[in-house]
Amino acid sequence: MPLRIVNVKVNGVDQAFMAKPDTTLLLALREQLGLMGAKRGCAQGACGSCTVLLDGAPVVSCLVPAATIDGAAVATVEGLADGQELNDVQQAFVDGFATQCGFCTPGMIMSAEALLARNPDPTADEVNEAISGNVCRCTGYAPIVSAILEAARRRRDRAGTAEQEATR
Amino acid sequence: MLTEVHVPDDVSAAVRLIAGGATAIGGGTSVLPWLNDYASPPTELVSLRRTGLAGIRVDGQTVELGAATTLAQVEHDERLADLNAVVRSIASTPVRTLATVGGNLFARQPHGDLAVALVALDARVTLVDDTGSRELSVEELGDQPSGLVTTVTFERPQPGTFKYVKAARRRYNSASLVTVAATVTESDGIVTGARVALGGVGPRVIRAHAVEAALVGQPLTVETVRAAGEAGRGEIEPADDAYASAWYRTRVFPVHLRRALLGR
């Protein structure tokens, strides 16, 4: 069974790993690069717990053969915090008690990041649509939606403040 | 068991590998779930990721979608307003980033809603094998053609003539109970042309000839659409699955036909 060297930029850092034909992006992240944030839930693309960003767009990493993404950029939940300081979405999840068991949380957060990158001021319904591929079996969707809306608000406020300071 | 994943740089290399027995994947969102869960015979995959088959070209009224164009690309292309809503009814954002137009043509029912829309739009595909290329309609394509679909082409419908409704158990990210896609043209209040395709109600996308025949020459009224729905019950072949029973699909099919064609 042929092994292949796959080069990827993960959270801004160049990485290389050996992939077997059946190595998925999820498996490579967890077992070869030691990034345990993305979870293996259904391995069917249905639960979203393995969601990461591939070249900036959200994907279910359990369905991506690693051999197909040589040269790509991958962003995972581990890359969001700045040292010990959580980013807006992570902090809003903590503040709003939007995690219960936590299994779905990394996927939820990456779907939220993808949404906010495209749409900084989403409605609750747009948030619902954006996380419709992420299953929370604790069923705590309401605080998750609130946390994403709150993160969006904080991010807009900060952008507004920065703009004011820049024009002062 | 997955024995090799080829990532060829061009179409001819991909076609050679497919002729040699390898399975083409666009985003892999239909094939990988199977390989992740079940013991399979030794399987080689051909990824279309680097073949240059992703892209949307609009030339006048003609739209050409490369087979490896992702559903997300279609979703966000303002030139394809009719298809934006179709694609948003399919799966979830992190699946649409991967899933492709070509792949959707072979999604097993009750999935494959884009294919339903493309049959209603009378779309054609280019199919390339190791002997050359040929053009055929999406409707004629079948489940397992020999070769590789490289492009999907259709004429943009006149504004207001394309209709689409997908009924599902949830608002987002759920397979079809009944999908109706149609292009209907009218003149002086009378239907002059109708092309109706159905998903979720058979083992494949169904071209609803009896529904079309019941519409053409009639005014587009509740009565006409009710008669068309009755006629259509004879050509659907719904199945029981985790989403709905065959009985339920048969029962609600005329309702969703009416909602698609009349908007109410």
Side-chain angles (χ1 to χ4, degrees):
Chain A
M1 192 181 287
L3 283 170
R4 190 190 294 259
I5 298 172
V6 179
N7 293 284
V8 282
K9 196 180 271 278
V10 180
N11 299 327
V13 178
D14 287 325
Q15 302 268 16
F17 59 86
M18 300 293 284
K20 292 190 297 181
D22 62 356
T23 302
T24 60
L25 171 58
L26 174 66
L27 199 72
L29 288 171
R30 291 182 60 84
E31 300 197 356
Q32 293 182 267
L33 302 177
L35 297 170
M36 301 293 187
K39 302 289 187 286
R40 186 182 194 274
C42 65
Q44 298 281 295
C47 79
S49 64
C50 64
T51 304
V52 300
L53 306 187
L54 179 63
D55 291 329
V59 297
V60 277
S61 58
C62 69
L63 299 187
V64 179
T68 65
I69 59 157
D70 188 45
V74 178
T76 72
V77 73
E78 288 89 347
L80 297 182
D82 181 5
Q84 291 299 305
E85 193 171 332
L86 300 180
N87 90 341
D88 295 311
V89 178
Q90 292 172 308
Q91 191 61 53
F93 268 63
V94 172
D95 295 345
F97 302 101
T99 64
Q100 290 186 38
C101 82
F103 192 90
C104 72
T105 308
M108 287 282 184
I109 287 177
M110 297 316 287
S111 283
E113 286 291 340
L115 169 68
L116 299 186
R118 189 178 277 281
N119 178 0
D121 191 7
T123 63
D125 193 46
E126 287 166 337
V127 173
N128 280 328
E129 184 177 5
I131 63 167
S132 66
N134 296 85
V135 175
C136 168
R137 278 305 69 158
C138 305
T139 69
Y141 291 104
I144 291 170
V145 173
S146 299
I148 295 169
L149 292 170
E150 173 62 14
R153 192 189 62 75
R154 291 179 188 175
R155 214 168 260 189
R156 289 196 308 276
D157 282 355
R158 178 141 10 83
T161 308
E163 199 171 307
Q164 278 175 3
E165 284 175 2
T167 54
R168 193 172 291 164
Chain B
M1 186 179 62
L2 204 46
T3 53
E4 178 61 292
V5 179
H6 301 279
V7 193
D9 289 326
D10 56 52
V11 171
S12 57
V15 167
R16 274 198 305 278
L17 289 159
I18 291 164
T23 301
I25 60 165
T29 57
S30 291
V31 175
L32 266 290
W34 178 264
L35 293 171
N36 278 347
D37 262 23
Y38 298 100
S40 61
T43 303
E44 290 191 18
L45 298 182
V46 183
S47 165
L48 304 182
R49 203 179 171 84
R50 295 190 199 283
T51 52
L53 287 177
I56 299 169
R57 263 207 338 230
V58 179
D59 182 8
Q61 290 307 305
T62 305
V63 178
E64 183 185 283
L65 307 173
T69 305
T70 66
L71 298 191
Q73 283 175 281
V74 176
E75 178 182 355
H76 296 297
D77 194 310
E78 289 173 359
R79 299 168 298 175
L80 305 178
D82 287 324
L83 290 187
N84 293 161
V86 172
V87 166
R88 278 179 74 187
S89 78
I90 300 171
S92 62
T93 308
V95 170
R96 295 198 293 267
T97 303
L98 297 169
T100 62
V101 170
N104 198 265
L105 301 178
F106 304 102
R108 293 174 66 178
Q109 288 290 323
H111 304 282
D113 300 299
L114 178 60
V116 179
L118 290 170
V119 168
L121 291 168
D122 201 10
R124 301 185 68 74
V125 300
T126 306
L127 186 68
V128 179
D129 63 17
D130 50 357
T131 63
S133 77
R134 62 199 168 105
E135 201 183 282
L136 66 169
S137 69
V138 170
E139 202 182 341
E140 296 165 326
L141 189 57
D143 293 338
Q144 286 189 316
S146 66
L148 175 68
V149 172
T150 55
T151 59
V152 178
T153 312
F154 61 92
E155 296 297 307
R156 263 200 292 206
Q158 291 301 311
T161 61
F162 178 74
K163 324 274 185 185
Y164 178 80
V165 159
K166 174 180 174 179
R169 293 288 291 267
R170 295 184 304 184
R171 202 148 144 226
Y172 301 117
N173 190 16
S174 192
S176 171
L177 305 180
V178 177
T179 298
V180 179
T183 49
V184 178
T185 51
E186 290 171 87
S187 178
D188 295 332
I190 300 295
V191 175
T192 52
R195 204 179 152 86
V196 181
L198 307 173
V201 288
R204 72 198 81 83
V205 178
I206 290 174
R207 169 86 186 278
H209 294 283
V211 172
E212 294 170 4
L215 294 173
V216 172
Q218 304 294 324
L220 198 56
T221 61
V222 171
E223 291 71 30
T224 300
V225 174
R226 186 181 296 135
E230 284 305 316
R233 277 192 172 145
E235 55 192 351
I236 61 175
E237 307 164 47
D240 294 334
D241 61 23
Y243 301 98
S245 64
W247 178 87
Y248 180 80
R249 287 180 157 111
T250 305
R251 181 76 184 77
V252 301
F253 156 69
V255 175
H256 297 298
L257 181 70
R258 188 192 72 222
R259 288 181 184 168
L261 298 181
L262 300 177
R264 59 198 159 98

